[in-house]
Amino acid sequence: MLGPSPCKFSFGLAGRVKLTGPVATLPICGNKDSTVLEKQKIRITSVGKADEDYFYQFTNSWYGNAQPVCECKLSIARMNIDLDLQKIDWRYVDDLQCRFDLEASKFINLLTLLPNAKSVAVDCLAVADDIREQVYIDPLSTIKPLSTVLTTIKFGFSDTVIDDSLKDLVIGYLLIALPSLANVGISGYRFNISSFKDIYGKQYSHLHSVNTNSE
């Protein structure tokens, strides 16, 4: 007798879809043109190396479909592959949660690929010593805004990041480059937002509207 499926499906009333499980057990999205979805929530519990091609096929089918969804959430718990930004099409994600480490430079580039995302959370950001050269985020006085509608971001830093100046640089860049931000949550690190606003608030007036919670 076969055991219980590791995947949980829920195709509810009023166009609601909820999927949970390892990516290899989840179904590719069919044609959504005939069904108007109000809510779509998918939680991927794991992505193995053997699942890499299917991971992009699966997520792109649900989040790159030509028909948007009113609420479109994606949560990824474990990722055993290196996320390739060239292969994703998540244009309709409005809430993304990544429960795995991600390079800060890749995180910044990822934000530019989520034009409809209002909330993004990443558990741990790793920061390379050469991040200044990777994404041209220094000096902060010359930052150009990213084209996003993000209102909330939450993140922490990997234990491998021991240089607080690099953390401050990444936080400062995100605060400046995302003028639509209303809420920023930073876990495991206390950022001096008052001092930052004193220095950059006149040049970037939207900073005064941002609520920052760091601990």
Side-chain angles (χ1 to χ4, degrees):
M1 178 180 293
L2 294 176
S5 170
C7 172
K8 295 181 179 179
F9 302 85
S10 176
F11 294 86
L13 299 176
R16 299 186 179 188
V17 172
K18 184 177 181 180
L19 302 175
T20 302
V23 70
T25 70
L26 301 177
I28 295 292
C29 178
N31 188 346
K32 290 192 290 187
D33 289 342
S34 59
T35 303
V36 178
L37 295 180
E38 294 182 1
K39 292 186 178 181
Q40 174 179 305
K41 185 176 182 180
I42 296 176
R43 180 176 181 269
I44 299 174
T45 58
S46 65
V47 181
K49 292 183 178 180
D51 308 323
E52 182 169 3
D53 290 340
Y54 187 75
F55 168 75
Y56 295 115
Q57 185 182 4
F58 168 78
T59 55
N60 291 350
S61 75
W62 283 99
Y63 297 99
N65 192 290
Q67 181 177 337
V69 182
C70 294
E71 293 185 33
C72 206
K73 300 181 179 182
L74 173 61
S75 175
I76 306 170
R78 292 200 311 274
M79 176 85 79
N80 294 323
I81 64 172
D82 185 21
L83 184 64
D84 188 342
L85 299 185
Q86 300 297 319
K87 295 181 179 180
I88 67 170
D89 182 3
W90 298 349
R91 72 188 79 174
Y92 292 121
V93 169
D94 59 36
D95 187 327
L96 175 65
Q97 296 183 352
C98 300
R99 303 301 186 189
F100 54 88
D101 288 10
L102 193 62
E103 281 285 344
S105 58
K106 182 168 288 189
F107 175 62
I108 291 170
N109 290 327
L110 173 62
L111 296 180
T112 67
L113 302 177
L114 306 173
N116 292 293
K118 299 178 180 65
S119 177
V120 176
V122 175
D123 275 12
C124 293
L125 293 179
V127 185
D129 292 336
D130 62 346
I131 190 170
R132 293 176 175 85
E133 292 75 30
Q134 287 181 353
V135 289
Y136 308 104
I137 66 176
D138 193 29
L140 293 178
S141 59
T142 62
I143 297 301
K144 294 182 179 180
L146 300 177
S147 180
T148 74
V149 295
L150 272 172
T151 59
T152 301
I153 58 171
K154 299 178 181 179
F155 58 91
F157 288 98
S158 170
D159 292 339
T160 60
V161 185
I162 59 177
D163 187 343
D164 287 349
S165 68
L166 291 179
K167 297 177 183 178
D168 289 341
L169 186 62
V170 171
I171 296 169
Y173 173 83
L174 292 170
L175 287 168
I176 290 174
L178 301 170
S180 57
L181 277 181
N183 300 287
V184 178
I186 306 166
S187 61
Y189 182 69
R190 185 168 294 279
F191 179 70
N192 192 338
I193 185 62
S194 297
S195 177
F196 186 80
K197 288 181 178 180
D198 288 343
I199 297 172
Y200 296 103
K202 186 175 182 179
Q203 182 178 358
Y204 303 105
S205 58
H206 69 272
L207 292 175
H208 297 293
S209 302
V210 181
N211 296 315
T212 303
N213 181 16
S214 61
E215 57 184 28

